[in-house]
Amino acid sequence: MTITAEQTAWFQETFAQLVDNVEQVVLGKRHVIELAFTAMISEGHLLLEDFPGTGKTSLARAMGQSVQGTSTRIQFTPDLLPGDVTGITVYDQRRGEFEFHQGPVFANILLADEINRASPKTQSALLEVMEEGHVTVDGVTRPVGVPFLVVATQNPVEQAGTYRLPEAQLDRFLLKTSLGYPDHASTVRILEGTGTVRREVEPVITPQGVVSMADVARDVYLNPLVLDYIARIVEATRLATEVRLGVSVRGAIALTKASKTWAVAHGRGYVTPDDVKALAESVLAHRLILDPEAEFDGVTAGAVIGQVMLDTMPPSQRDAV
């Protein structure tokens, strides 16, 4: 099934409106905002790793405000318990029965601030809900709602009192990116408008609208040659000499979904090899586990993905359409 020109135009216009809306709060970072909404519409999750004060929390909050749903925030700390995330069952003495109290995970957008400060036990409380969209507490499974997006942040510099995210959890983040510091022009705009820069934005779309956008993205045409290209990229990461653990099948699926969303967001009802190239590092790099010797030599996951992309021959644009 392919999408119509009308669906493509509606998707592109709505996507641009969402990005414009958030850019009122996070100035000069349009590409990162586009990646963030790509993760949401591709039914994935977003990991932001950056220095303090770059706008990670502002981005997540503005995304939540742009979607007319519910958004919650958890400040991860070492003493946070799994029940603080998922919710707990409490005995009601007046009614003589147990009652479930929902945790902050029951929302459309969950901001997991400084996720690497919580213990592995608490971090693992998110594994089920990130993959399956529901939580199981005391043997009862409860859905958290649709759409559901986890926007997690972590500080790459301050490592005291932090825990490395488990590989299984990293693999559940569809995209990993960073905002970085704004350029000079954006910094001047921020300083000039300290009293006028918006901190609150109006909703652009309903949760059901996001679901409709996801349905459109799912039907974007993907040529078998492009699928073969994605598969060859993923297989090449497993054979790279600097890599101890390459990209999983989940990672290949994530790149496929994200490429479809990226294509239709830029006005096309089909995926090109350039869409795959544009997203490969953001989708795949955080899934790699490098060989310790390669890490010691200064090799980065991003550099490995860059080399893989250079070594993997894409199909011609003409054949791939």
Side-chain angles (χ1 to χ4, degrees), residues 4-272:
T4 64
E6 291 77 13
Q7 287 176 311
T8 303
W10 169 77
F11 188 107
Q12 185 180 18
E13 181 182 355
T14 307
F15 190 90
Q17 288 175 352
L18 287 166
V19 175
D20 290 342
N21 206 42
V22 173
E23 203 173 15
Q24 296 178 79
V25 175
V26 185
L27 302 179
K29 296 296 177 182
R30 188 172 187 85
H31 180 69
V32 178
I33 299 169
E34 289 178 341
L35 288 176
F37 279 112
T38 296
M40 173 189 280
I41 296 166
S42 303
E43 301 171 306
H45 307 286
L46 176 67
L47 179 60
L48 295 172
E49 183 176 83
D50 218 330
F51 307 112
T54 52
K56 301 185 295 294
T57 305
S58 296
L59 170 62
R61 186 171 56 242
M63 288 179 68
Q65 292 167 355
S66 297
V67 178
Q68 197 174 14
T70 55
S71 59
T72 55
R73 179 177 183 270
I74 306 174
Q75 182 65 53
F76 278 71
T77 55
D79 60 348
L80 195 73
L81 298 175
D84 298 328
V85 176
T86 60
I88 57 173
T89 303
V90 178
Y91 184 72
D92 188 330
Q93 290 185 329
R94 289 181 298 177
R95 296 168 57 187
E97 59 185 37
F98 286 94
E99 182 181 38
F100 179 68
H101 289 203
Q102 292 185 350
V105 77
F106 287 86
N108 294 120
I109 297 179
L110 169 66
L111 171 59
D113 219 354
E114 295 189 285
I115 190 171
N116 55 336
R117 291 204 174 278
S119 67
K121 181 178 181 180
T122 301
Q123 289 178 16
S124 66
L126 286 172
L127 292 179
E128 179 187 11
V129 69
M130 289 176 69
E131 182 70 13
E132 301 172 35
H134 56 69
V135 295
T136 302
V137 179
D138 294 336
V140 180
T141 300
R142 297 176 173 87
V144 296
V146 178
F148 176 68
L149 170 72
V150 174
V151 181
T153 71
Q154 61 179 13
N155 182 346
V157 178
E158 190 181 351
Q159 297 300 321
T162 64
Y163 301 84
R164 184 185 175 119
L165 294 183
E167 287 74 19
Q169 186 164 13
L170 280 172
D171 205 27
R172 281 165 168 78
F173 285 103
L174 186 136
L175 279 161
K176 178 184 176 184
T177 188
S178 61
L179 282 159
Y181 292 117
D183 57 27
H184 178 76
S186 297
T187 301
V188 171
R189 284 176 59 200
I190 292 169
L191 297 178
E192 286 177 342
T194 49
T196 58
V197 172
R198 301 185 63 174
R199 297 186 179 276
E200 304 286 332
V201 293
E202 296 297 321
V204 171
I205 195 172
T206 63
Q208 187 54 48
V210 176
V211 173
S212 298
M213 293 181 77
D215 291 339
V216 171
R218 200 177 293 115
D219 290 333
V220 169
Y221 176 69
L222 195 60
N223 190 294
L225 290 174
V226 180
L227 277 176
D228 176 74
Y229 180 48
I230 293 173
R232 286 188 286 117
I233 291 170
V234 168
E235 289 161 4
T237 66
R238 302 168 188 163
L239 300 174
T241 55
E242 307 93 339
V243 174
R244 192 172 68 184
L245 182 66
V247 175
S248 66
V249 175
R250 185 189 282 121
I253 294 171
L255 183 55
T256 303
K257 284 182 170 183
S259 297
K260 287 184 173 186
T261 302
W262 193 259
V264 68
H266 290 82
R268 284 177 279 100
Y270 55 88
V271 177
T272 68

